[in-house]
Amino acid sequence: MSAFRPPTLPAIPALGIAALLVAACGGGGASYPDSSDVRTAQAAWCQALAKLNGSGDAWEHLGACKGAYPTASAAYLRGMTRCFTARHEAAGEDAPDNSQLITECNDEVTVEMGADGPGSEDVIAARCQRAERCEKVSAADCKTAVDKLETAQRVMLTTTYNAGALHAIADCLSSSSCSDDEEAARDRCYNPSSEKLLWFPD
């Protein structure tokens, strides 16, 4: 049995009633313009895991890994592959467990990535329209708050995820009913795909 495993994302300060920062995303299929790039980046991630395992192309999980379609963007996968491999190889036998390495690399990669990409504008628009509809925060004020985010924070809302995942989260935000607990409502849109960013064998 093999499965995706989410990174432990860094805590982010709240932005008041707009509550803009939830570091996750909805799921999505593979029929988007970036799907080929995502699959290529996923294959490189899998090859890195196989190499670190010491089995290379003979790794028993290689096929399952390459057959999996993550919710991560190609840029995020490439950054995580580079960082995870470098840190693991540098530490050798003293390497910490995967969850610690993923947390450290997530911090590094999200700072380096750009915050705009396929689907980014749509998911921000959906968040801000929901803030206006459900929390009486104007879409303009919400967008201003997003624009003021540090790059890593905005990346965690946008380009950490591929176009299919961002489309799914935007659709969920737009179509689901308002809630007395809007933070929990947003989480219900994001959580399924936040668990499918990175693939590891069980």
Side-chain angles (χ1 to χ4, degrees), residues 66-139:
K66 288 185 176 181
Y69 191 79
T71 52
S73 66
Y76 183 77
L77 284 169
R78 286 192 292 265
M80 293 299 285
T81 299
R82 182 188 68 251
C83 177
F84 187 83
T85 300
R87 287 176 181 262
H88 204 290
E89 290 180 340
E93 294 182 358
D94 296 324
D97 61 30
N98 287 344
S99 61
Q100 182 175 335
L101 288 177
I102 291 298
T103 298
E104 293 172 357
C105 286
N106 184 78
D107 291 346
E108 177 180 314
V109 170
T110 54
V111 169
E112 296 173 347
M113 286 176 59
D116 297 310
S120 297
E121 292 185 4
D122 290 344
V123 79
I124 290 172
R127 291 189 67 91
C128 290
Q129 289 164 8
R130 185 180 182 91
E132 188 168 53
R133 174 166 58 95
C134 298
E135 300 176 274
K136 310 309 176 189
V137 176
S138 75

Side-chain angles (χ1 to χ4, degrees), residues 142-158:
C142 172
K143 181 63 165 58
T144 297
V146 171
D147 290 342
K148 291 180 179 179
L149 294 176
E150 294 180 358
T151 298
Q153 294 174 326
R154 183 160 173 149
V155 163
M156 289 170 66
L157 285 176
T158 58

